[in-house]
Amino acid sequence: GHSMLIEGVTSGKFGNLIGVGSSHGIALKVQNVDIESLTGMAAGANGITVKSDSYAQCGSVRIKSAQAHRVPPGTVPWWGTTEPMHAGMALNPETASFTGPVEVGVFHSFGATAGLSVIASDATNALVGAHFGSVFADGGGRALSRGINGQVAWADRISIDYLVAQNIATGIRWVLTSSPLTIGRASIVNATTRAIETANNAPLDVGLLEVKNTPIAYSAFNNSRIRVGRESFELVTTRFENNFGPHLGNGWTSVSGQPVTITLENGRVSLSGVAQSDGTSVPVIYIPTTNFSPSNPYTRIPAIVKRGAGAYATEMVTIAADKLQVGDGALLASGSQVCLDGISWDLKSQW
């Protein structure tokens, strides 16, 4: 059931709405409506649901601020269900397409499994679009309040100016959609598994990605596309899971004291450090073409190269669509080294 259900309204304004308990704290099936604030608390399914059905379509909803709480703040002990709230806010074109966009100024979620969950649209029922000024998702510290499956999950055609996700498992989980998720700035802190997870061809565009105290920065599966303009990482153990990003070729390793590093800055990949070969593989760097292919492949630029036991000399390296190699791709002898300082390329547009 619903603690508060508003449906069938085709034009109007609402002030401050609060729903506590039930499956959905607040459920909205309205059109051309302005809302001052929404608060959904202690719901078994979703704190706030914005939903479009065939008998009550939804669209052109403008919400100034909204918040969802796993438990009402300041209540100790809490009497509610022991199950975690599945989503702080869910946007759901279940049996009918939205008739217009959903716009939210500020949204805060505390303790939900997914702070913001947008059900993936299909060819029949679509989410026309959604825009959030800022989203703040906190797993909390209360019992059974930490996020499990991520703070932005299963979404379609959505943009967020500023996202903050902290004390959760996965910062952004973007799967099962072919429409881009665009985030101006994302700050992910204390994620226990990874900052970003994508799958099934889902495209994600982040202008500035800030990650702190998180084991893995990126994880992508099944040709998903991630484009990040600029990174700022602190206490991140692994940048690319499953060799998703550019990485050293087989048989190439970093030289002690001069580790190979790969950074993103304004849509440009930059390399530094010195790589050494064991003589078994041509590519110095593998470049996954789905996400990091250069805008101008087969560019040749000078670099310092040492072939086997020979002296250091300036040679041309080639940045191909899927790899970086010395010259035209001749196999270098064991002990050969390539200085990667200053080598960079612009990313090819993904969509």
Side-chain angles (χ1 to χ4, degrees), residues 181-240:
L181 165 62
T182 302
I183 302 175
R185 176 183 177 185
S187 299
I188 299 168
V189 182
N190 299 333
T192 57
T193 56
R194 58 185 63 86
I196 290 177
E197 176 186 350
T198 62
N200 303 105
N201 302 297
L204 171 63
D205 192 323
V206 182
L208 169 60
L209 177 64
E210 300 169 312
V211 183
K212 182 177 181 180
N213 196 31
T214 298
I216 299 169
Y218 302 104
S219 181
F221 303 92
N222 299 335
N223 296 318
S224 296
R225 295 166 289 167
I226 298 176
R227 182 179 176 88
V228 173
R230 188 158 57 95
E231 299 173 327
S232 177
F233 291 170
E234 182 179 350
L235 300 177
V236 174
T237 304
T238 302
R239 291 184 68 235
F240 302 115

Side-chain angles (χ1 to χ4, degrees), residues 263-301:
T263 59
L264 292 174
E265 181 78 22
N266 297 324
R268 189 173 182 83
V269 179
S270 298
L271 309 179
S272 63
V274 178
Q276 180 167 303
S277 174
D278 66 1
T280 61
S281 177
V282 170
V284 183
I285 299 287
Y286 282 119
I287 303 174
T289 56
T290 302
N291 293 280
F292 295 94
S293 185
S295 59
N296 295 305
Y298 303 103
T299 299
R300 294 168 66 88
I301 60 176

Side-chain angles (χ1 to χ4, degrees), residues 319-342:
I319 303 174
D322 59 350
K323 58 183 173 290
L324 182 146
Q325 62 191 23
V326 176
D328 293 323
L331 182 66
L332 272 62
S334 178
S336 297
Q337 296 181 354
V338 178
C339 178
L340 302 174
D341 291 347

